[in-house]
Amino acid sequence: MLNALIIVVTLLLAGYLAFSKRLASSSRWKATVIPLASIMGSGFLISAPLLASVAGNLAAIWMAILLMVAFAVGSVIRFNIRHFEPIEHARTGAAQDIGFLSRVVLAGAYFISVTYYLQLLAAFVLRAVDIDDQFAAHVITTLLLTGIAGVGMWRGLGELEKVETYAVSLNLGMIGALLVALAAYNSSLLFDGEWQLATIPSTLDVHSLRVILGLLIVVQGFETSRYLGDEHPAELRIATMRTAQIVSAVIYLLFIGLATVLFHDGLSADVTAIIGMTAPVAVVLPLLLSVAAIGSQFSASVADTSGAGGLLEDITNHKLRVRYTYALILLVTIAITWETNVNQIIAYASRAFALYYMLQSIVAFIVALQMKQLPRRAPRLFGFGLVALVCLLVFALGVPSA
């Protein structure tokens, strides 16, 4: 019965999201689903095993802390959408110079995130066929990078980006089904008097805290709203980014809270451990999760490849043609692939985005400092400085989980 419920929920929700004409024509939906899908696609499936391996049964608390940090950073990005965007190209100054530097850093962060998404995809592919081989993972990642960049150089990524709509819908539908399945599983254990958490030793030392700092990528993705100015007005992007962060926070906390009953002593930091964890919930769930993971990581990698190419073209004032930006992305990402593993790339991606967030916080601080009549100016200045400091700590101290 539970298996049938999962399949029905997945198909109905994913089908509605993918083919609803009403949603397809809604600007608010489009402006919400882009950052929401980016946040959920960044690390939803890897969040539970990674946090469980570090924090044990306290995983939900640390997830809440990560989400609060992300929301604080989101506030910085929203401030910059409202107050910095109108003057970003209208004048020169320290804020504009640091803003330009942040775009360069973001392009580099996209290089790393593309590699991260495809290494994660390779990990799930190999898990599905029960193979644990780092060389094979690197080969799969390299082939995918070559294929995506090759299509970009040949015809552009427009055709591949169309897949994103369906992959996003599948991923969101799968998330809904997973939450329903976990809620039903917890309820069943509770009614049978068998609900209890495993005794898991969790020593939060300096290394563990550094690992948690390296997991910022799990809740990253909301900054995509910052660069949708050609499609949506500022106030809509501000409102929908806030909505996306709130919705994703609720989903993450529900997921970690419901999944905690599945934690057990000796749970590894394997990014694909969610497949084995959910096997007791429903037989079909691991297969559906694998399909959703592969689809979402592919679409995310295409989106970030396109984003990186566009940023490089913009940074070079269109002197570097898009075709050559994809060639550069291919060379750099392949080099990163063969020098890292999936756990390392998670920490590196977190640190790269943390550097971008730090620079955006400095931009916000400078703009607020220049606006003498800004409401709540003093607390905002303090907040922007604090966010910059936290992001600096993530950049400087974040380490891989294994």
Side-chain angles (χ1 to χ4, degrees), residues 368-392:
L369 196 63
Q370 295 170 344
M371 298 176 65
K372 305 299 183 183
Q373 305 303 317
L374 180 69
R376 298 181 292 110
R377 183 167 174 264
R380 278 179 164 172
L381 287 170
F382 175 79
F384 296 154
L386 183 60
V387 171
L389 177 60
V390 171
C391 291
L392 177 60

Side-chain angles (χ1 to χ4, degrees), residues 147-207:
I148 292 172
V151 171
M153 287 184 281
W154 178 39
R155 299 186 59 179
L157 293 178
E159 293 300 317
L160 289 181
E161 286 174 334
K162 292 178 181 178
V163 177
E164 186 175 6
T165 301
Y166 302 102
V168 165
S169 300
L170 174 63
N171 194 37
L172 293 177
M174 188 62 252
I175 288 169
L178 178 58
L179 292 178
V180 170
L182 284 172
Y185 183 72
N186 277 262
S187 299
S188 176
L189 290 178
L190 189 62
F191 291 144
D192 292 341
E194 298 177 0
W195 192 96
Q196 63 177 5
L197 299 180
T199 302
I200 305 175
S202 57
T203 304
L204 281 177
D205 51 20
V206 174
H207 177 74

Side-chain angles (χ1 to χ4, degrees), residues 260-319:
T260 304
V261 74
L262 299 172
F263 295 172
H264 55 82
D265 191 13
L267 186 65
S268 71
D270 179 6
V271 293
T272 63
I274 188 67
I275 303 300
M277 279 178 55
T278 56
V281 179
V283 175
V284 72
L285 196 51
L287 174 61
L288 295 179
L289 284 174
S290 297
V291 173
I294 291 169
S296 64
Q297 301 314 308
F298 179 78
S299 66
S301 65
V302 171
D304 278 12
T305 300
S306 178
L311 271 173
L312 285 175
E313 190 181 25
D314 180 56
I315 289 167
T316 60
N317 291 318
H318 299 274
K319 293 178 181 177

Side-chain angles (χ1 to χ4, degrees), residues 59-71:
I61 294 175
W62 285 103
M63 173 55 76
I65 293 172
L66 281 174
L67 289 166
M68 285 189 287
V69 171
F71 196 82

Side-chain angles (χ1 to χ4, degrees), residues 216-233:
L216 182 64
I217 190 70
V218 167
V219 290
Q220 166 272 332
F222 47 86
E223 76 286 338
T224 52
S225 296
R226 171 79 168 79
Y227 301 98
L228 295 175
D230 292 339
E231 302 172 41
H232 306 289

